[in-house]
Amino acid sequence: IPLLRRALAMSKRPLLLFASPWTAPGWMRSNGDVRGKGTLKGHAGDKYHKSWANYFIKFLDEYAKHNVTFWAVTAQNEPLAGLFTPPQAPTTAFTAAQQRDFIAQDLGPALARSPHRTQLLMLDDQRIHLPHWAKVVLGNATAARYVAGLAVHWYLDAIVPPGCSLEATHKLFPDHFLLYTEACTGFFMF
């Protein structure tokens, strides 16, 4: 919070902060641990999914107490990484259908009921998953109503041309923006 305050004070314009979770608490996960392969227990609409959605709101509440607001949150960082992750990595797996249902039944309504004007981003993973992921989530009118845009990572961009991923997705869902949210150099050893 002190670093965020310094950055906000130094900026000539407002900073747009977003947050993206790596994992739910172990008691909510299918493997009972914050690390390794696992999903949220149960299914959308149940106590685990409602509790996880409430964590987002509590996170925003706590930062708001320090006058730090978030422009957006993502539903999950790299939701498919949870299926392939090394055993010590903290992550929670979601399929596109699971993310759609979580957004439609839990996270979207929780954000809408909250006092926060924080936007919701979906996917937050490689563009190789587009446009399929967008079709599944945004093809549902309820989920689409809560989603402002798609968060995309760039690590596997060389595999999928932008025309058949980003451009195709934009043509299908022009009212939802596309935003690169994670990138780094040195990802590949070569």
Side-chain angles (χ1 to χ4, degrees), residues 125-132 152-153 156-157 159-160 165:
D125 210 332
Q126 313 305 318
R127 79 175 188 209
I128 197 169
H129 305 302
L130 295 174
H132 168 73
V152 184
H153 298 183
L156 302 177
D157 279 5
I159 297 171
V160 178
S165 57

Side-chain angles (χ1 to χ4, degrees), residues 4-16:
L4 285 173
R5 283 190 176 156
R6 286 180 61 195
L8 291 164
M10 293 170 60
S11 179
K12 290 181 169 59
R13 59 183 180 187
L15 295 180
L16 300 177

Side-chain angles (χ1 to χ4, degrees), residues 155-180:
Y155 304 110
L156 302 177
D157 279 5
I159 297 171
V160 178
C164 64
S165 57
L166 299 176
E167 187 176 344
T169 302
H170 177 67
K171 284 180 180 178
L172 289 168
F173 304 102
D175 295 333
H176 292 82
F177 61 85
L178 295 153
L179 177 69
Y180 272 100

Side-chain angles (χ1 to χ4, degrees), residues 108-158:
L111 279 170
R113 284 190 308 268
S114 81
H116 307 287
R117 295 301 122 225
T118 304
Q119 297 187 64
L120 178 58
L121 307 182
M122 56 164 275
L123 183 59
D124 207 15
D125 210 332
Q126 313 305 318
R127 79 175 188 209
I128 197 169
H129 305 302
L130 295 174
H132 168 73
W133 202 279
K135 287 178 183 178
V136 172
V137 177
L138 298 177
N140 177 284
T142 303
R145 181 174 75 227
Y146 295 118
V147 174
L150 291 82
V152 184
H153 298 183
W154 80 335
Y155 304 110
L156 302 177
D157 279 5

